[in-house]
Amino acid sequence: MDLKVLVFDEINSTNAYLLEKKMLGEDIANTVVMARHQTRGRGMGSNSWNSEPGKNLLFSIALDVPFIRAENQFVISQAVAVAIAESLEMVTNKPIINKGDIKIKWPNDIYFGDKKLAGILIQNSLSGVMMQNTVIGVGININQIVFDEKIPNPISLKIITGEEYDVLSLLYSVSSAIKDYVMRLSDSGWVEKVNDAYINKLYRYGEWAYYEFEGVVKSMIMRGFDKFGRLMLSDAEGRSLVCDVKEVKFVI
């Protein structure tokens, strides 16, 4: 089924728009909502997403995923992150850009070097032990070159390549890739390929780096993640740590 695309000049939140429509009983599957400006854009947890109007790609996509078990829902996050990373690699296919420069910072931020290029907010609905649907919010820095100083480490495609991009064209290519990657998760072989690609692109995977946990900063190595998507780290003494989002902070 083709995607239904709605574009708004301004909206409070693209994720909120789709979730409100769902609460009203509307079928939101395969709907993409893009905003040139969000008045209340959200990031993960209590974070907000700040963007200069019209400069960046801000959208949400709703998909029905009844073939995914609730306990395995992290695979959606993996598929979305890989789809976006690979889409942006094609966009930035220039000699000055190495293919490996675009990484996935656990759990699903998109990084270029040590700077944040895109963020993802996924809100899932369950039906018993299975998934029902997922609303995937995406914010990608495209043409903005000046950011609020409160934002710690932003970067955009224009800063990376020096080029101006057609935001609407990117909407169609990225949203189509997300749908393709997620809807193919009914195939166990595809799930394995997505997992391998996610690990291959995982920022700091297998590297020693500094993290903050319970107010203490220490050097640890990223070992991977468990089936629930929790990050697995080890310190120099071999002690292991398994943590959820917001329990650990990357020191960059």
Side-chain angles (χ1 to χ4, degrees):
M1 184 181 295
D2 293 334
L3 292 170
K4 175 184 178 182
V5 179
L6 305 174
V7 179
F8 295 91
D9 285 332
E10 184 173 285
I11 199 172
N12 61 348
S13 160
T14 55
N15 262 37
Y17 177 90
L18 285 170
L19 292 172
E20 287 166 7
K21 292 297 182 183
K22 180 188 173 187
M23 287 182 63
L24 293 172
E26 296 187 24
D27 182 6
I28 62 172
N30 300 297
T31 301
V32 176
V33 178
M34 173 187 157
R36 293 188 174 89
H37 177 55
Q38 288 188 120
T39 58
R40 302 175 73 177
R42 285 185 56 196
M44 190 170 291
S46 60
N47 293 341
S48 62
W49 184 268
N50 296 292
S51 174
E52 188 177 339
K55 293 289 188 179
N56 303 316
L57 180 54
L58 313 171
F59 74 94
S60 296
I61 177 172
L63 299 169
D64 285 344
V65 286
F67 47 84
I68 299 176
R69 295 187 64 83
E71 63 184 18
N72 297 329
Q73 59 187 281
F74 181 64
V75 72
I76 297 174
S77 185
Q78 291 179 283
V80 173
V82 170
I84 294 173
E86 293 188 351
S87 294
L88 296 180
E89 281 179 345
M90 289 189 289
V91 169
T92 58
N93 186 21
K94 299 182 65 175
I96 62 170
I97 308 299
N98 295 317
K99 187 173 182 180
D101 286 341
I102 294 181
K103 295 288 188 180
I104 300 168
K105 176 177 168 287
W106 176 88
N108 54 25
D109 282 340
I110 306 301
Y111 266 47
F112 182 85
D114 291 322
K115 295 184 179 293
K116 185 173 179 177
L117 180 58
I120 302 165
L121 172 65
I122 299 176
Q123 295 174 275
N124 295 322
S125 298
L126 310 180
S127 179
V129 298
M130 304 299 289
M131 298 292 299
Q132 184 181 49
N133 53 42
T134 182
V135 175
I136 302 156
V138 179
I140 307 175
N141 296 326
I142 305 295
N143 294 318
Q144 187 168 340
I145 58 175
V146 178
F147 292 87
D148 190 318
E149 60 183 16
K150 296 178 183 177
I151 302 175
N153 58 335
I155 198 168
S156 67
L157 290 184
K158 186 171 183 178
I159 292 173
I160 295 170
T161 68
E163 296 181 357
E164 190 89 9
Y165 293 87
D166 185 321
V167 175
L168 196 57
S169 294
L170 288 174
L171 169 69
Y172 287 99
S173 61
V174 176
S175 61
S176 295
I178 290 173
K179 180 184 176 182
D180 179 55
Y181 275 60
V182 172
M183 300 310 290
R184 292 171 68 184
L185 293 174
S186 57
D187 178 356
S188 60
W190 179 252
V191 171
E192 185 175 343
K193 288 182 180 180
V194 165
N195 186 66
D196 290 344
Y198 181 88
I199 292 173
N200 186 55
K201 294 182 180 300
L202 194 56
Y203 176 70
R204 290 185 174 178
Y205 178 69
E207 299 176 7
W208 288 94
Y210 285 97
Y211 300 87
E212 181 181 332
F213 181 74
E214 295 182 341
V216 178
V217 175
K218 63 188 305 185
S219 179
M220 292 187 280
I221 188 170
M222 185 185 296
R223 299 295 186 188
F225 46 89
D226 66 12
K227 68 173 292 184
F228 302 109
R230 295 178 300 185
L231 189 65
M232 302 171 66
L233 301 166
S234 297
D235 62 18
E237 290 73 40
R239 291 172 295 198
S240 297
L241 177 68
V242 179
C243 46
D244 282 316
V245 177
K246 300 301 182 184
E247 290 184 339
V248 64
K249 180 180 179 181
F250 286 61
V251 178
I252 298 173

